[in-house]
Amino acid sequence: MTQSDETTQGINILVCAKFIVDPNQLQADAATGKPDFKRAAYRINTFDENAIEAALQLAAAHGGKVVAMSLIKQPPPREVMLKALAMGISALYLINDEEGVAADALTITQVLSAATRTIAEREGVAAWDLLLCGEASVDDYNGQVGPRLGTALDLPVITYASKLTLDGNRLGADRAVDDQSETVEVDLPALVTVGMEINDPRMPTVLQIMGAGRKPSIELGLSELGDLDRAALAAAVPLRNVETFAPPSSRKQVIIEGDTSQEVVEELLRRLGADGEVAF
Amino acid sequence: MAMQQGGILVCSEDQQVLGELLTIGRELATQADTGLTAVVTGKEAQAWAIDARARGADGILLVNTDASEATSAAAFSVVLYEAIQAAAPTVLLVGGTRVGAEIAARVAQRLGVACASDCMSLQIDGDGNLQVERRVYGGRFVARQVVCGLPRIATVQAKRFARAELMDGQAAAEIIEIEASLPASRVRTVSVSPRSQSQEDITKAEVLIAAGRGIKRVEDLEILEKLAAVLGGTMAGSRPLTGDVDWLPVDRRVGLSGQTVKPNLYVACGISGQIEHIVGMKGARTVVAINNDPKAPIHAESDYSLIGDLYELVPELVAACERARADGG
């Protein structure tokens, strides 16, 4: 724990959360084949909900504070922000990059690493004990920001955690890498990324979401991030998006209907038989 | 020994994947009219070096680490950083495994450059930059992106490219050895265990019956096993069932963090169709989805959708198959 911090007992956790367009609800514009963002719903990145839940569970067991930060280009819908707060975090910091300077994992990391220190000052925390991230965001699926942020802040990094335990200052983690499972441990402070295996994130009730309006959501402009290296940010060459398009689908997308289950499955078998995929 | 500067550098902690990178690396080297160098390290480094040379690398950079072997992404990224200092590549390709994704992100951050993750196609554009295509937004969209910076870094989807063939004749590539000193690891490994493995290889199956979160209890998998039996298929699963619950061995996982499969028939049972999953089953010839949620994204990725309770529909389907067999067989 952070010894010099007298205001908070326990573990101080900063969670990186991203508000994203829900990929499951994102449709292609019929005319252009490009994603139709205007009609898409927003949500908290699923893995970041796992990160928030993991943070809340650690803080519930060991005491401490859970704060979340999110880099935004425009404020997300209020109900999505409130849901994050209603899960139980004590404050939500929105780093407003309205000029869209932070365009990829490299530049996002530059901004977020500076923001960790600004938010620590605002929260009266000497240094964060734990930074938690989802293993990737399900929109861009880069999976870079966690390990990049750990590298930028010179923190030990544990990726793909599926279980976390805290014993004093020692954080234990189970993690699933390609063909093996590992149990590892690290002395805090550290940065950890989590996947969907770690927990089932809580679903706040409508009342909790309404009540969360009293909790602080604090907007910070890039100019308010004291440690932000503007020259480095200006010099960075981010990944450049040329275009995003829906590849042509070759799927038939036939919904098989019938009055009874038996009719439905027999129609399926008839079709699969005609396609040559089943033969009896 | 002077190292040739510039060129394409490829690196993976997985030997199979390194062979795949030599395939796409060769394409890029030809496009850019430059050389292809493979990075190897660890106890088997000499054997890997000889293998990479036989698979067409123009140069091998063998990184010796003083005491311990680079097993973690943190250590491996130090090895790769030293290799980059020696070779000064214009393009760096890293294998798109979980470990590889972390290695690439760490190295890219240390170098202050961009990185494109899990690319499915890559080429050198007219400006000498790396143009890639990657799946985004649940796998339903493709982003075409350009990586600039020096080096231009990308991770490459595992199994996207065939492993480079062993070549006939004399391989002349030089093996250049460099040293890297690994920092003390701050993350301590307490234990390591191989994840459970199965007898059958789902990447070779012609019929796959895939289970998702719609399966409520491990014993309910039996319902799908009956369907697999009657269709001569193999069981597979999405990430929730092959993760920590281990209801199915992890090598049965279809998706971004698992296997890429190309069966003739793929029956997705109780699978919603997140990007994680879709990426792995796009290559199936015919896809059937059984799901009670008409809005589930799996339906857009399917040829035939049955909207309803899989606990009712699957046994009904098994019965229909058995009747068909009795009639037709």
Side-chain angles (χ1 to χ4, degrees), chain A residues 47 239 270:
Chain A
F47 295 127
L239 191 63
R270 196 187 63 71

Side-chain angles (χ1 to χ4, degrees), chain A residues 93 113-123 128 220 224-228:
Chain A
Y93 283 81
S113 60
T116 60
R117 290 181 283 258
T118 305
I119 297 170
E121 284 165 21
R122 298 256 181 151
E123 290 291 314
W128 298 105
L220 294 175
E224 293 173 87
L225 306 179
D227 282 350
L228 181 62

